[in-house]
Amino acid sequence: MPDDDLLHFEDLIPGQVFPLGPKTVTAEEIIAFASEFDAQPMHLDAEAGKNSILGGLAASGWHSCSMMMRMMADSYLLRMAAEGAPGVDYVKWKKPVLAGDVLKGETRVLDGRPSKSRPGIGIVSFRHELRNQRGETVLESENPVMLRRRAVEEAAQ
Amino acid sequence: MPDDDLLHFEDLIPGQVFPLGPKTVTAEEIIAFASEFDAQPMHLDAEAGKNSILGGLAASGWHSCSMMMRMMADSYLLRMAAEGAPGVDYVKWKKPVLAGDVLKGETRVLDGRPSKSRPGIGIVSFRHELRNQRGETVLESENPVMLRRRAVEEAAQ
């Protein structure tokens, strides 16, 4: 995609909403992720999950975050002049994400400001929320993302 | 492992430290994770990484978190009577994690308190830090973890 067609810092408006998902979470995916990164019993085995306070075979919280990242990429991030993120303000894993759940939600633009240290960059705060097929919020998070600034790029040409 | 041998809420002491890593981050792992969850150019291609502000083929921030989770599991979490986590207080991705980096660090126990809503559970706050082979901090995070309480289990028997 030509750089001009990407969404830049100036193109994002507070209140703007991008949809996330839907994404069906399979037992196979839960177990594959947990086997590599988070081999706790409730993420590997349905029986162990039932006997835990999570109530079933449950995705690692980091797997839920990674699945949300994929939804973000598919929805908007790959159409943005994004330069990564300095971190995450918070993540709330509000309900277990269980095998068979269907997740969807949205990212909302909160606000933006030019970077003090990088003249070509603006920092935009996003708020993300995912809900399951019963409408229960399973994940909430906010994080800042670095985007290239359109005006500065044009001025430099 | 018999449940009695697992570390319970009462066994963790503020200031206690558990080592994390070392873990060598390969280009293949960076690209595999990004292909599934975070297909931004700087996580997929060395040239695109060099041309980004990350300066090289760089792990997705969520991949860094997931690798840290694996180090936590290997170091201590699988020896704990852990019942998952309600969330993450913050994550700071302070420096890029690049192909070839060797990560290590530690988890420090900050404090603990009994859960108000779950009598058999205590909540322990952990602070995590990972550094690269140059001693630069690449990731900082804090999060609360739910652990079963030893005393309550014994009282119930």
Side-chain angles (χ1 to χ4, degrees), chain B residues 25 32 44 48 68 76 80 124 130:
Chain B
V25 183
L44 287 173
M68 185 174 72
Y76 58 84
M80 287 182 180
V124 177
L130 289 181

Side-chain angles (χ1 to χ4, degrees), chain A residues 29 33 35-43 51-54 60 62-63 65-73 77-78 82-94 118 121 141 143 146, chain B residues 29 33 35-43 51-54 60 62-63 65-73 77-78 82-94 118 121 141 143 146:
Chain A
E29 289 169 333
F33 186 97
S35 301
E36 187 168 357
F37 295 117
D38 189 357
Q40 297 184 78
M42 63 278 203
H43 303 320
N51 294 331
S52 77
I53 64 179
L54 299 179
S60 165
W62 298 112
H63 188 196
C65 289
S66 299
M67 288 189 284
M68 185 175 71
M69 182 69 225
R70 171 62 181 264
M71 295 182 226
M72 290 158 53
L77 207 57
L78 300 182
E83 291 279 350
V88 183
D89 294 332
Y90 67 86
V91 179
K92 294 180 187 174
W93 294 312
K94 301 192 78 162
R118 298 176 188 274
I121 296 288
S141 183
N143 83 308
M146 296 183 285
Chain B
E29 290 168 334
F33 186 97
S35 300
E36 187 167 358
F37 295 117
D38 189 357
Q40 297 184 80
M42 62 280 200
H43 303 319
N51 294 332
S52 79
I53 64 177
L54 299 179
S60 166
W62 299 110
H63 187 196
C65 290
S66 299
M67 289 189 282
M68 185 174 72
M69 182 69 226
R70 171 60 181 265
M71 295 182 225
M72 291 158 52
L77 207 58
L78 300 182
E83 291 279 351
V88 183
D89 295 331
Y90 67 85
V91 179
K92 294 180 186 174
W93 294 312
K94 300 192 78 164
R118 297 176 189 274
I121 295 288
S141 184
N143 83 306
M146 296 183 285

